[in-house]
Amino acid sequence: MQIPRGSGAPTASTVPVGEIADAQPRPPAEQTQDVPARTLGLAIVVASVRQGRRGAAVASWFSNEATRHGRLDVDLIDLATASLPLVLADDPPVELADVTSRLGSADAFVIVTPEYNHSFPASIKSLIDWHFSQWRAKPVGFVSYGGQSGGLRAVEALRLVLAEMHAVTIRDTVSFPMVWETFGDDGRPVNEEGPAAAAQALLDQLAWWATALLQARSRSPYPASA
């Protein structure tokens, strides 16, 4: 609404903007929070189960970065020890009960994945396929590694799968191209400044989405299809 210049006393159609704002004050930001600020549960999933893998070292490094972030309670889930069944059934089996519970209690996820043949390992697809509600309306970030692409083709393929799970994937990633050169035998990046900054950027976005989605789920159940 535009206020005519040089008009006299305000009418119903020319109420000064300041008076409208005073009549309907906005509550302070802290009063709009439905869920008190708390530590967020982050499940970091090591996707590779391959012998000689670098995923455990990359995940351990990222886990330390996540702990340093300050708002995240980290749970490291290594699929090499998860006893994933080879045959799918209607319900998760007993041997996956612990992993299922840990995924269900997490507020957010980070998948640490290599790239195999332009895509992700079968192990992480199996984990995703065994679950549904555990991923739903929660954010998922990615730390990838591989050859020249740094595992990014695996990440892009995983985004499509997780969209079907009603998960929200984070745009920014942490990627290690030519991982045998960029990630040292000491379990840390050779040049750590760049990866550490990328990790904190990813974690900031992940925490933002985890908080927003937690608040949304607290107000009403997510309307997922079957």
Side-chain angles (χ1 to χ4, degrees), residues 145-164:
Y145 59 95
Q148 291 184 345
S149 74
L152 292 177
R153 288 175 292 206
V155 170
E156 294 310 305
L158 279 169
R159 291 188 193 279
L160 298 177
V161 175
L162 287 161
E164 182 66 15

Side-chain angles (χ1 to χ4, degrees), residues 74-169:
V74 177
D75 181 16
L76 190 62
I77 300 175
D78 189 345
L79 296 191
T81 62
S83 301
L84 288 168
L86 295 178
V87 180
L88 284 173
D90 292 336
D91 299 309
V94 174
E95 55 264 41
L96 270 182
D98 178 62
V99 170
T100 298
S101 175
R102 291 159 70 183
L103 293 177
S105 63
D107 299 307
F109 307 95
V110 166
I111 296 175
V112 179
T113 184
E115 180 180 314
Y116 295 162
N117 303 317
H118 283 217
S119 192
F120 45 78
S123 47
I124 187 61
K125 182 62 162 61
S126 178
L127 181 75
I128 294 171
D129 288 347
W130 272 115
H131 301 91
F132 177 62
S133 62
Q134 290 79 8
W135 310 108
R136 189 169 54 202
K138 295 179 183 179
V140 184
F142 302 98
V143 176
S144 65
Y145 59 95
Q148 291 184 345
S149 74
L152 292 177
R153 288 175 292 206
V155 170
E156 294 310 305
L158 279 169
R159 291 188 193 279
L160 298 177
V161 175
L162 287 161
E164 182 66 15
M165 299 294 106
H166 294 261
V168 176
T169 59

Side-chain angles (χ1 to χ4, degrees), residues 42 44 57-68 74-76:
L42 171 62
I44 299 176
V58 175
S60 177
W61 168 80
F62 185 80
S63 177
N64 289 333
E65 292 297 311
T67 300
R68 287 181 51 229
V74 177
D75 181 16
L76 190 62

